[in-house]
Amino acid sequence: VTASTPTVAHFLAEQDPVSCWDALPRKTPVCQIDELLASSWAPDRDAHQPRLLAPCDLQSIKAAGVTFVSSLLERVVEERAGGDPSAAKRLRTELEQSLGTSLRTVIPGSPDAARLKDELQRRGIWSAYLEVGIGPDAEIFTKTEPLAAVGLGDRIGIRPDSDWNNPEPELVLVVSPAGQVIGATLGNDVNLRDFEGRSALLLGRAKDNNGSCAIGPFVRLLDDGFTAEALGRLDITVQVLGEEGFEHSGSSSTSEMSRSIEELVHQAMGAHHQYPDGMMLFTGTAYAPVEDRIETGGGFTHRPGDIVTISCVRLGALVNQVAYTDRLPPWTFGVAALLDNLAARGHLGGDE
């Protein structure tokens, strides 16, 4: 692929990436896929062996938040608990009883949503998360920088000063510079619930850390066998296996999203905001583990060594191991390093 186009972003900017792929000359394989998967996941993998990277490079990595009612309630729980997991259980019950039914039946941005907002404000329980959950404007934020995402087999990071955090298994849309959804993959939007719970203004601290964004294992391009309509009915599962024998699993379906995929893409990219290198867009999750792990009332949180598997029948499995952010290799391969790498391999040809 690199002989014909220097980056993933260039390739996915083609008008018809599937036809472009079919037209590529077939050359000697670097290795077999099963060998590549094995070397990508090996705990003691050789740095000189081929391995899978995150299947994106120059694209902006964006995320939509609060796109499921269950996640909306959990964000309000975090906010009202002030980042304290011990207060979450009581607040969760109270909010489900007072808000659950009305939130599940309202369409974001609709007149009914506006009336619900007025009612909730009168009751004194309005929140910044409710604003983006049922209001006209979706929450769209920058998850991390281009080239900072990790792929299959890489370690994912949690801060050592976080006591309440979790994986966020999500569908990730591959969006062309023209704003068209051309493919999909899986993502782990690793989240520090205690940081964001203390203040919504700590979203960057909660979301963008060393190894906190995993994408992969591959991009599946849309075609006649995997259409845009299929993206709205995918089941995504997550499994967490701890070194101490802890096991947890959960699932969610993109059919439960409160906003359509088309609306999320439109809100993230359009007349007001362009991404000339394309975009990887996390679409949110309904998954929020609440079971106690370390102590009664403490809820779920990661421990270093956890193996996290996010899977979907039509998109494969993204597997990563949890570690503390300050013990991961620092991120050093940015855009300048990519340009140097491509130039050294002779892939930056063309007229000056």
Side-chain angles (χ1 to χ4, degrees):
V1 178
T2 317
S4 302
T5 181
T7 69
V8 177
H10 281 86
F11 177 76
L12 295 177
E14 295 285 345
Q15 186 171 1
D16 186 352
V18 174
S19 296
C20 180
W21 173 265
D22 291 339
L24 287 173
R26 294 320 190 232
K27 298 186 177 182
T28 303
V30 174
C31 63
Q32 298 300 313
I33 290 295
D34 56 351
E35 296 172 353
L36 184 60
L37 292 171
S39 63
S40 296
W41 176 240
D44 55 348
R45 66 187 181 192
D46 185 341
H48 299 290
Q49 290 295 315
R51 65 183 179 91
L52 286 173
L53 303 176
C56 53
D57 42 41
L58 296 178
Q59 295 95 332
S60 295
I61 302 178
K62 309 293 286 188
V66 199
T67 56
F68 293 79
V69 170
S70 54
S71 63
L72 168 57
L73 289 171
E74 283 300 311
R75 296 294 86 78
V76 179
V77 166
E78 289 172 9
E79 181 182 54
R80 291 188 164 244
D84 177 10
S86 64
K89 185 175 182 180
R90 172 183 55 81
L91 289 166
R92 187 175 295 113
T93 300
E94 293 175 357
L95 288 169
E96 178 64 40
Q97 291 175 347
S98 61
L99 297 178
T101 301
S102 55
L103 291 177
R104 285 184 173 85
T105 58
V106 72
I107 298 174
S110 66
D112 287 341
R115 286 189 286 271
L116 177 59
K117 175 180 178 177
D118 291 339
E119 177 188 344
L120 295 177
Q121 286 179 322
R122 285 195 298 270
R123 293 164 58 184
I125 55 175
W126 191 242
S127 159
Y129 295 105
L130 287 165
E131 176 64 48
V132 296
I134 67 173
D137 299 308
E139 179 190 18
I140 305 290
F141 60 92
T142 298
K143 171 59 182 177
T144 194
E145 295 298 303
L147 291 168
V150 299
L152 173 73
D154 286 321
R155 288 181 292 170
I156 51 177
I158 56 169
R159 288 177 58 116
D161 52 352
S162 171
D163 297 318
W164 190 19
N165 49 71
N166 62 260
E168 292 196 352
E170 302 189 20
L171 171 69
V172 179
L173 304 176
V174 181
V175 186
S176 74
Q180 299 298 314
V181 178
I182 56 175
T185 185
L186 296 171
N188 189 342
D189 179 16
V190 184
N191 183 41
L192 310 182
R193 301 189 68 179
D194 43 5
F195 275 69
E196 187 177 358
R198 295 206 313 269
S199 171
L201 297 181
L202 291 174
L203 179 67
R205 285 287 183 90
K207 293 286 190 181
D208 188 6
N209 297 290
N210 197 14
S212 67
C213 177
I215 297 177
F218 306 102
V219 163
R220 180 164 184 177
L221 296 173
L222 299 185
D223 57 18
D224 292 340
F226 185 61
T227 64
E229 288 73 23
L231 300 177
R233 52 178 187 273
L234 295 176
D235 295 323
I236 298 174
T237 63
V238 60
Q239 180 190 61
V240 179
L241 300 177
E243 291 183 331
E244 82 283 22
F246 175 83
E247 296 185 17
H248 169 82
S249 62
S251 64
S252 63
S253 173
T254 57
S255 63
E256 300 170 5
M257 292 172 62
S258 55
R259 299 181 192 267
S260 69
I261 284 170
E262 292 77 14
E263 180 186 355
L264 292 178
V265 172
H266 175 73
Q267 294 222 19
M269 179 191 289
H272 306 294
H273 210 162
Q274 296 81 44
Y275 295 97
D277 297 311
M279 174 177 65
M280 308 294 286
L281 179 62
F282 282 73
T283 56
T285 183
Y287 168 83
V290 299
E291 65 183 89
D292 295 336
R293 179 173 186 178
I294 298 174
E295 60 184 12
T296 302
F300 172 90
T301 195
H302 270 310
R303 282 182 168 179
D306 284 353
I307 303 295
V308 183
T309 301
I310 296 171
S311 58
C312 174
V313 170
R314 308 199 72 179
L315 295 174
L318 174 63
V319 188
N320 302 96
Q321 186 172 35
V322 175
Y324 285 136
T325 49
D326 57 355
R327 298 183 185 179
L328 294 176
W331 175 44
T332 59
F333 196 90
V335 174
L338 174 65
L339 293 175
D340 290 343
N341 179 280
L342 291 171
R345 293 189 290 132
H347 295 308
L348 290 184
D351 298 331
E352 295 184 359

